[in-house]
Amino acid sequence: PLLSLISGLISIFGFIYIGELIKTNLNLVVEKYWEITVNLILGIFTFSISVQVLSFIRLNNNFTFSLLFILLFCLSLKKIFETKFSPPKINKNSFLPVVLLIAIFFIRIFISIIPTTKIDELHYHMLLPLRLISESGLNYYSNPWEGAIWPHMQYQFIGAPFYALGLPDSLNVISILVFVIFLKNLFDLINNQINNKELTLWCLVIVSSGLHSLIDLTTNASNSLMLVSSSSSLLILCDPEKYIPSKNLKSFSLIFGLLSLGLISSKVSMIPICIIQVILFLRTITTNWGTKSISKSLFYFSIPFLIFYLPILSYSWIKSGSPFGPLLSSLFVSNLSSDPLIKLASGQYLLKRSRS
């Protein structure tokens, strides 16, 4: 547990640094309050696609994944040494919410390093990275069907290097740290608007307390990534003038595409929500840049999908006959029995559950 904690705490800086390097090379203009969140999500997807490519070409083994982890670890240390850490100033009015937030954080960190017994993790979240380190290549299995939908397993792909070193619970720690960084982003955005640290801190206490962060965010699942992506994109759409991450068309479109990708690559069932967000995104583009900029913004918006989503979508299609594995497979192959939606509609799942 201690090694899982240390590797998770350190690795988060590596993801941020990877995203920072890419953002700099792409000349993305990002508002300072959004930088760390954008860098983090960009770094996670970059690391995930690296694991996927190694698996596509059958170089997925303990040696290559260990090298990938060492690279991430070195980048993390470089980022840590370059970062100037300064303790925040806390006045007496902020003391209580800060203590509560620290307590909430430590409780969730403690829960995250305990070996998991959650059914979803044991059933399919942990199965993909285990298969990546024990088999040659990325092989398709139709069951469990939730884990066979590779396009929404982006977060689980980053786990393979940690699993190769026997540190599977590091993903739990990374998940809760993603949520902590989201809280920091919220604090910066809210406090910038109301200029009241005490009230902002109490808002964070409300957001972070409860069973959701205790149960859903301390796991190998991608709930934190989905939460950050969906909440950030919704916040932007609700009031673009206050919360827009960039006033540059190219940068804003790329960032929003990245957030939308974070949504559907965490849960494929979020695609309808993503479509609604895209419609609102186009309205925002029209309002701020005019209708002539729609085609240009859609091009930049699609770049994260082309780089990070299309490869696994295509590979899944080749291996299973459907871009989403068993889900919607009835639309692409003649075998209806493999589609979980068809089974659900025919009552097969209900029948199995009643028998059990």
Side-chain angles (χ1 to χ4, degrees):
L2 181 60
L3 289 177
S4 296
L5 175 62
I6 294 172
S7 63
L9 290 172
I10 293 177
S11 297
I12 199 75
F13 289 95
F15 294 130
I16 294 172
Y17 189 64
I18 292 171
E20 186 179 308
L21 291 175
I22 296 174
K23 184 200 70 178
T24 302
N25 285 294
L26 291 177
N27 295 319
L28 293 181
V29 181
V30 185
E31 298 291 333
K32 64 177 182 177
Y33 299 129
W34 286 98
E35 277 190 343
I36 188 170
T37 299
V38 172
N39 291 341
L40 175 61
I41 297 176
L42 190 55
I44 287 175
F45 277 118
T46 302
F47 195 76
S48 178
I49 193 66
S50 301
V51 173
Q52 292 171 41
V53 170
L54 287 174
S55 303
F56 294 163
I57 59 178
R58 295 184 175 275
L59 289 179
N60 53 313
N61 52 59
N62 288 337
F63 177 72
T64 54
F65 284 150
S66 297
L67 290 179
L68 195 61
F69 177 85
I70 292 172
L71 176 61
L72 178 67
F73 191 79
C74 292
L75 293 175
S76 301
L77 293 179
K78 180 175 174 57
K79 178 62 179 176
I80 290 173
F81 289 132
E82 289 180 352
T83 304
K84 295 180 180 179
F85 298 96
S86 57
K89 296 179 180 179
I90 302 174
N91 56 41
K92 61 180 182 180
N93 295 326
S94 302
F95 181 75
L96 181 57
V98 168
V99 170
L100 289 174
L101 285 171
I102 292 174
I104 290 170
F105 170 73
F106 276 109
I107 290 172
R108 278 139 185 80
I109 282 291
F110 177 74
I111 294 297
S112 68
I113 61 175
I114 296 176
T116 186
T117 58
K118 298 183 181 71
I119 185 62
D120 281 351
E121 288 184 272
L122 298 175
H123 182 56
Y124 75 97
H125 289 153
M126 303 179 74
L127 200 55
L128 175 63
L130 281 173
R131 283 173 172 169
L132 289 178
I133 65 172
S134 60
E135 300 178 357
S136 177
L138 177 57
N139 302 311
Y140 176 75
Y141 296 90
S142 58
N143 287 305
W145 69 267
E146 300 94 335
I149 308 172
W150 290 335
H152 80 172
M153 302 287 285
Q154 296 276 352
Y155 184 77
Q156 282 71 31
F157 274 107
I158 73 171
F162 298 93
Y163 278 60
L165 297 177
L167 302 172
D169 295 317
S170 297
L171 258 67
N172 305 358
V173 178
I174 293 171
S175 176
I176 200 65
L177 291 176
V178 170
F179 178 62
V180 170
I181 289 175
F182 171 65
L183 291 180
K184 180 190 181 303
N185 192 20
L186 276 184
F187 175 84
D188 293 336
L189 291 171
I190 296 173
N191 187 57
N192 182 55
Q193 294 299 322
I194 67 175
N195 195 26
N196 189 324
K197 290 184 179 180
E198 293 76 32
L199 183 58
T200 305
L201 287 170
W202 280 112
C203 289
L204 298 189
V205 171
I206 295 172
V207 171
S208 58
S209 58
L211 291 178
H212 175 60
S213 62
L214 184 64
I215 297 175
D216 293 334
L217 305 185
T218 56
T219 69
N220 270 234
S222 52
N223 293 317
S224 282
L225 181 61
M226 181 173 65
L227 174 67
V228 173
S229 301
S230 58
S231 301
S232 299
S233 55
L234 182 61
L235 190 64
I236 293 167
L237 293 174
C238 285
D239 199 337
E241 292 184 5
K242 291 182 180 179
Y243 302 115
I244 195 166
S246 178
K247 295 180 181 178
N248 177 274
L249 175 65
K250 168 192 168 183
S251 299
F252 172 63
S253 301
L254 274 167
I255 293 169
F256 200 85
L258 191 66
L259 294 175
S260 299
L261 176 62
L263 180 62
I264 67 170
S265 63
S266 302
K267 221 44 148 169
V268 71
S269 58
M270 292 293 108
I271 289 180
I273 303 297
C274 183
I275 293 173
I276 296 173
Q277 287 193 350
V278 171
I279 295 172
L280 297 175
F281 160 75
L282 294 177
R283 188 189 68 175
T284 303
I285 293 295
T286 302
T287 303
N288 290 272
W289 287 278
T291 54
K292 293 183 179 180
S293 301
I294 289 180
S295 58
K296 189 176 182 180
S297 66
L298 283 175
F299 170 74
Y300 289 124
F301 174 88
S302 63
I303 288 177
F305 287 86
L306 295 174
I307 296 175
F308 299 121
Y309 203 63
L310 184 60
I312 191 63
L313 205 69
S314 303
Y315 191 84
S316 178
W317 201 335
I318 293 171
K319 287 291 185 176
S320 69
S322 167
F324 298 104
L327 187 66
L328 301 178
S329 60
S330 58
L331 299 177
F332 300 92
V333 294
S334 58
N335 185 14
L336 300 181
S337 62
S338 63
D339 193 333
L341 294 181
I342 298 296
K343 291 181 180 179
L344 184 62
S346 63
Q348 291 185 38
Y349 282 150
L350 297 176
L351 181 59
K352 287 182 179 179
R353 182 172 297 180
S354 63
R355 288 176 176 175
S356 62

